[in-house]
Amino acid sequence: MARSYYKQREEETKMLIYKAKTRNNLTDAQLAQKIGMPLNTFAKKKLHPGELRLDFVWAIEKLANVE
């Protein structure tokens, strides 16, 4: 049960990253720079978004205009 919940949250975070990129017309490198994360680290975290710290998730939410 916990695994499916975790997977659901990872998918929601992936969608959040997609929204932030499309609404602001950003590349991965530009988004990483805006949230203050090195591109290589962002690429790794993008594959496993459950490992993102909340401060980065909140910065992405702000860019995606999620309330």
Side-chain angles (χ1 to χ4, degrees), residues 30-63:
Q30 292 168 327
L31 179 59
Q33 183 179 15
K34 284 195 177 279
I35 64 171
M37 181 182 284
L39 177 59
N40 191 31
T41 304
F42 178 75
K44 291 176 186 175
K45 300 295 184 186
K46 189 176 168 187
L47 293 175
H48 303 285
E51 298 174 359
L52 274 171
R53 289 190 341 222
L54 281 177
D55 55 336
F56 293 119
V57 174
W58 293 332
I60 295 169
E61 281 181 341
K62 190 173 182 181
L63 287 170

